[in-house]
């Protein structure tokens, strides 16, 4: 049994476990998503649910390939290539559409209707089928005999979510 545990305790295996939690919609991943959405006071409940659905699709369809593992004593870097839906492109297209067609998002009083625009943006994101590849250099630290992944950088988190503006 000890040999088996050692095989699972490598930097690469820890990164695989981490990314698999996204693909399987692990409770911790969904709890983090829910917390983030609960803290967002600009979205309606319906918009939060629609965005949650979009992100679950992103997580389930995430594809990754481990490219390299580099270990230096008690530190390691695992380079991984991920492929995700290009939500960033959809967001930029929605913003450009707003810029070119502001009248589409006015309410009856002629004032910009943010809720209508957010609905439009989420709809654009949900229709995204184009995918993009990113490279992540994930860092790990050995704590005793156990490899532990460092927290993601904000840029790496945006890449996993497909919203990194490249």
């Amino acid at each position: 049994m000890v040999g088996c545990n050692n095989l699972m305790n490598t930097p690469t295996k820890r990164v695989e476990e981490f990314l698999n939690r996204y693909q399987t919609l692990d409770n911790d991943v969904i709890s983090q998503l829910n917390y983030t959405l609960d803290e967002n006071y600009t979205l309606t409940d319906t918009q939060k649910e629609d965005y949650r659905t979009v992100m679950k699709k992103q997580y389930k369809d995430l594809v990754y390939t481990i490219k390299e593992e580099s270990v230096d004593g008690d530190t390691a870097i695992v380079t991984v290539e991920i492929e995700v839906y290009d939500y960033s492109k959809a967001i930029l297209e929605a913003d450009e559409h707003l810029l070119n067609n502001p009248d589409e998002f006015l309410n009856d009083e002629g004032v910009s209707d943010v809720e209508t625009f957010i609905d439009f943006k989420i709809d654009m994101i949900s229709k995204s089928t184009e995918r993009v590849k990113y490279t992540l250099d994930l860092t790990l630290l050995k704590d005793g005999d156990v490899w532990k992944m460092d927290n993601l950088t904000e840029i790496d988190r945006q890449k996993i979510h497909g919203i990194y503006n490249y």
Side-chain angles (χ1 to χ4, degrees):
M1 271 319 239
V2 173
C4 182
N5 284 340
N6 286 340
L7 292 175
M8 295 305 290
N9 185 32
T10 67
T12 294
K13 289 295 182 192
R14 292 295 179 223
V15 168
E16 289 173 342
E17 289 172 356
F18 172 76
L19 294 172
N20 286 338
R21 285 196 292 269
Y22 279 92
Q23 293 173 319
T24 60
L25 302 178
D26 177 84
N27 285 336
D28 289 339
V29 170
I30 298 305
S31 291
Q32 288 175 342
L33 174 61
N34 289 338
Y35 175 78
T36 300
L37 289 172
D38 288 344
E39 293 297 304
N40 186 317
Y41 299 108
T42 59
L43 299 179
T44 66
D45 288 343
T46 301
Q47 290 168 337
K48 288 178 184 182
E49 192 54 44
D50 292 345
Y51 194 75
R52 183 178 291 108
T53 300
V54 164
M55 291 312 300
K56 284 180 176 182
K57 176 184 172 195
Q58 180 75 287
Y59 297 162
K60 285 189 329 191
D61 293 350
L62 178 141
V63 175
Y64 69 88
T65 305
I66 303 293
K67 294 296 189 179
E68 182 181 1
E69 174 185 285
S70 173
V71 178
D72 183 11
D74 288 345
T75 62
I77 298 173
V78 176
T79 302
V80 59
E81 181 181 80
I82 63 169
E83 183 178 282
V84 294
Y85 293 109
D86 193 355
Y87 290 167
S88 173
K89 185 175 181 183
I91 291 168
L92 290 173
E93 288 173 358
D95 290 344
E96 186 174 319
H97 187 84
L98 172 63
L99 206 58
N100 295 327
N101 305 283
D103 293 347
E104 287 183 29
F105 304 99
L106 299 178
N107 63 18
D108 293 339
E109 289 82 39
V111 177
S112 182
D113 186 352
V114 175
E115 186 175 326
T116 300
F117 176 66
I118 291 173
D119 287 340
F120 175 78
K121 188 182 280 193
I122 292 172
D123 185 57
M124 293 277 295
I125 293 168
S126 72
K127 293 176 180 174
S128 293
T129 58
E130 196 170 321
R131 296 177 64 84
V132 63
K133 291 183 181 183
Y134 298 115
T135 299
L136 309 176
D137 287 319
L138 302 175
T139 57
L140 298 95
L141 189 61
K142 197 168 194 180
D143 183 11
D145 291 334
V146 179
W147 285 102
K148 294 185 178 180
M149 233 179 86
D150 293 337
N151 289 331
L152 287 177
T153 66
E154 183 56 28
I155 288 173
D156 287 344
R157 187 177 327 281
Q158 289 175 7
K159 288 178 178 180
I160 289 171
H161 291 166
I163 60 171
Y164 178 70
N165 190 359
Y166 49 94

